[in-house]
């Protein structure tokens, strides 16, 4: 019982000490944050709501407007968060400094101003912009990936060239440059480099693709014939 009373007394003493030290400190912080504008330097009234905010180039540190240290080629953001500054257009962050971005020939700064991009007709290679070689019957694309060019309709890419698509009888050109570049008309199927007519048995019709057949109901396909079961 005596031990329990001793523990309670120690706990009460600790609470009393916390009250003595923490409350005055907290009150001081609140007083700083809620201090009137007349007591602030480098501050102004907020444009909305009540209170004040620091002038541009300063930020609130424990209730005091402290000057933001801005490096060369940078500007103040006016934000109380982060560093309080950003690099000018054409510069990028390097540690606590802003270093100039070296833009190679045939390149331009992007909208963000912190990186560059090659002009159309060029692509990035080891920090430079190299001209894209477009073959005959080819044209430049807007994509910065892949070869940077595509073949005209009727041609397909093969290595670094555009090769003419040879369309067999009963075939037609497709809009894709992948594969052969052609397809067979309905009622024909691809067989090597030709379009071969689809041969149907009795009680059958072409399927939706038009390159094969299926049996009329209630007939069912069995190998190359339609049978009743």
């Amino acid at each position: 019982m005596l031990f329990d009373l001793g523990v309670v007394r120690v706990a009460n003493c600790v609470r009393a000490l916390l009250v003595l030290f923490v409350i005055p400190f907290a009150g001081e912080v609140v007083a700083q944050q809620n201090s009137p504008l007349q007591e602030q330097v480098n501050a102004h009234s907020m444009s909305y709501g009540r209170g004040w905010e620091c002038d541009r180039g300063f930020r609130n540190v424990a209730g005091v407007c402290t000057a933001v240290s801005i490096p060369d080629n940078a500007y103040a953001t006016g934000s109380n968060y982060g560093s309080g500054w950003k690099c000018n257009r054409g510069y990028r962050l390097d540690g606590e400094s802003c270093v100039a971005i070296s833009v190679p020939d045939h390149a331009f700064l992007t909208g963000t101003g912190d990186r560059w991009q090659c002009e159309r007709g060029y692509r990035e290679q080891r920090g430079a912009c190299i001209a894209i070689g477009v073959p005959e019957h080819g044209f430049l694309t807007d994509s910065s990936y892949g070869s940077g060019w595509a073949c005209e309709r009727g041609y397909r890419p093969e290595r670094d060239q555009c090769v003419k698509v040879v369309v067999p009888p009963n075939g037609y050109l497709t809009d894709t440059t992948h594969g052969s570049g052609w397809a067979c008309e309905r009622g024909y199927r691809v067989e090597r480099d030709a379009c071969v007519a689809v041969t149907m048995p009795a009680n059958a019709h072409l399927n939706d693709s038009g390159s094969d057949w299926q049996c009329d109901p209630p007939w069912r396909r069995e190998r190359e014939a339609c049978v009743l079961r």
Side-chain angles (χ1 to χ4, degrees), residues 81-163:
Y81 303 97
S83 62
W85 55 269
K86 285 185 178 180
C87 294
N88 294 337
R89 178 175 172 79
Y91 293 82
R92 60 177 178 81
L93 182 65
D94 185 7
E96 295 298 321
S97 303
C98 292
V99 296
I101 298 173
S102 179
V103 182
D105 293 338
H106 306 293
F108 60 92
L109 282 173
T110 61
T112 58
D114 58 354
R115 62 189 183 89
W116 55 266
Q117 181 178 329
C118 292
E119 298 171 355
R120 187 171 184 271
Y122 295 82
R123 60 181 167 185
E124 190 275 333
Q125 184 174 319
R126 297 180 181 178
C129 290
I130 307 300
I132 296 174
V134 182
E136 187 178 4
H137 302 295
F139 60 91
L140 286 171
T141 64
D142 293 328
S143 176
S144 57
Y145 302 98
S147 63
W149 55 268
C151 293
E152 299 171 356
R153 180 174 172 80
Y155 293 83
R156 59 182 175 80
E158 188 173 299
R159 297 182 180 177
D160 296 329
Q161 296 180 341
C162 288
V163 179

Side-chain angles (χ1 to χ4, degrees), residues 189 198-207 211-229:
R189 58 183 172 80
V198 176
T199 303
M200 293 184 295
N203 303 306
H205 60 273
L206 287 172
N207 61 11
S211 60
D212 201 357
W213 57 269
Q214 62 190 49
C215 294
D216 301 332
W219 301 81
R220 294 188 179 182
R221 183 166 182 166
E222 187 173 297
R223 297 183 180 178
E224 298 302 318
C226 290
V227 298
L228 284 174
R229 292 185 180 179

Side-chain angles (χ1 to χ4, degrees), residues 1-13:
M1 186 68 177
L2 291 174
F3 176 77
D4 292 341
L5 289 173
V7 171
V8 170
R9 287 171 181 168
V10 170
N12 288 337
C13 289

